[in-house]
Amino acid sequence: MNRAPKVALLLTFSGALSACAIGNVGTLAAKVEINGDACILDLYSAGLHLRTRPDDFGAHFGYSHRTYVFPADDTLRPGWYFLWFPATHHTALAQELMTIGLEISAVTPLAGVSLGYSHNTLSARLPSDESVYIEYAGNDVHVVSLQYCTEGKPCEITPTSR
């Protein structure tokens, strides 16, 4: 009797259960892309992840893919990061949050617990005296346009041509 497939499955399952991350360190992978005035951070994690970002505070156990859109600055450099990614203190202007497993969120409007598949998109999380125009098409980061206005008046919308 060949036990190799059963042993491989058991090792994979136990490895996923023992994986963990706290904040921006642990069993995770992150991809940073810069497009014009927008910085997109894609974060992948498996196992237990205690999230310490003020705009996405909580925890999950399972698999998660989270996308954050920030104004571009010098703190995040494009590329892939494994087991660690550079932290930014900017609040995400938009978030796409997907979890398969147990999700505990402590940030409104998503505060609560979910079990199974959870997929949420949040945009324009700004103070009342700021505005933003985001043109974002999921995984195709080449069509992202970002106008972030802080003068207390709405942004003048100038969409990009495709």
Side-chain angles (χ1 to χ4, degrees), residues 33-124:
E33 296 181 281
I34 306 291
N35 187 18
D37 292 332
C39 176
I40 297 92
L41 170 65
D42 279 307
L43 179 60
Y44 304 88
S45 64
L48 177 65
H49 186 184
L50 303 175
R51 300 184 313 272
T52 58
R53 290 191 48 80
D55 56 357
D56 188 21
F57 189 77
H60 62 264
F61 182 75
Y63 169 76
S64 180
H65 174 206
R66 307 178 100 68
T67 301
Y68 306 99
V69 178
F70 303 101
D73 66 6
D74 293 334
T75 60
L76 294 174
R77 301 272 183 220
W80 278 96
Y81 298 87
F82 299 97
L83 304 177
W84 169 88
F85 67 93
T88 180
H89 299 292
H90 289 292
T91 299
L93 300 176
Q95 301 174 350
E96 186 170 355
L97 314 170
M98 188 280 298
T99 301
I100 299 172
L102 175 65
E103 166 76 29
I104 301 169
S105 181
V107 179
T108 57
L110 300 176
V113 177
S114 65
L115 179 63
Y117 176 78
S118 172
H119 192 162
N120 297 290
T121 301
L122 305 172
S123 60

Side-chain angles (χ1 to χ4, degrees), residues 145-157:
S145 172
L146 174 69
Q147 297 170 13
Y148 183 52
C149 306
T150 59
E151 293 91 28
K153 60 182 181 181
C155 292
E156 292 183 23
I157 299 173

